[in-house]
Amino acid sequence: NAGVMQNPRHLVRRRGQEARLRCSPMKGHSHVYWYRQLPEEGLKFMVYLQKENIIDESGMPKERFSAEFPKEGPSILRIQQVVRGDSAAYFCASSPQRQSLQETQYFGPGTRLLVL
Amino acid sequence: AQSVTQLDSHVSVSEGTPVLLRCNYSSSYSPSLFWYVQHPNKGLQLLLKYTSAATLVKGINGFEAEFKKSETSFHLTKPSAHMSDAAEYFCVVIDMDSSYKLIFGSGTRLLVRP
């Protein structure tokens, strides 16, 4: 059973360009979380999605950031008009069902975004 | 609201000596707590989790953690450090007020000296 897949692993963008980060959850998992890790910091929650639904986006910046998890295909985190402050590692985690006290989130290897 | 505080940003030990990484939590509920490890430029790997069963939790690679309600602590220990243990360690609590998302501590970088 393949783990959580993220691509690309590294992404370089110039200021003002768009960044699209993809996450394929583990087989059988229908819940996806995105986290951001700024340099020298812990991970911070961004958004929680279920297939075709955004459940909680309380950690997403109000502008330029969006996320989706379509019925078919990977979850996408999209950052429009990137700025240098968006440089970070973005991690996706998946779980088989609605997170509970018993469920574990399984993390992907992350996408490291560098904005020049 | 739930939160975790990692008391040390860096811990340095000699190979073969014990490891202690400290974590205190704050929670209105009986918390679910985790320790994750992150090797340089890698993803996160679950070391162990506490979900209100046994208070002493054994994890992978010889790590264990003890849940102490009276001290609101969940410290991570290992009897003998190995060079391969050098990494960043995160104490994590589930946010039971909202979506069960994970709340991370700021991390402790473990250095292992030969």
Side-chain angles (χ1 to χ4, degrees), chain B residues 30-90:
Chain B
S30 179
S32 282
L33 294 158
F34 305 77
W35 277 97
Y36 280 86
V37 61
Q38 183 181 29
H39 288 91
N41 296 314
K42 301 286 187 184
L44 286 89
Q45 181 181 22
L46 178 68
L47 277 179
L48 49 81
K49 66 178 181 180
Y50 167 76
T51 56
S52 74
T55 56
L56 182 62
V57 183
K58 292 188 184 300
I60 61 171
N61 301 335
F63 284 94
E64 62 182 38
E66 186 172 8
F67 175 76
K68 291 187 177 180
K69 186 176 179 179
S70 60
E71 299 176 10
T72 61
S73 69
F74 189 58
H75 300 336
L76 182 70
T77 60
K78 182 174 180 178
S80 176
H82 191 273
M83 295 298 291
S84 61
D85 294 327
E88 187 93 17
Y89 291 79
F90 293 100

Side-chain angles (χ1 to χ4, degrees), chain A residues 56-71:
Chain A
D56 180 354
E57 55 182 351
S58 59
M60 288 276 272
K62 295 286 185 268
E63 298 177 348
R64 302 187 297 107
F65 285 72
S66 62
E68 62 176 7
F69 190 15
K71 186 176 181 180

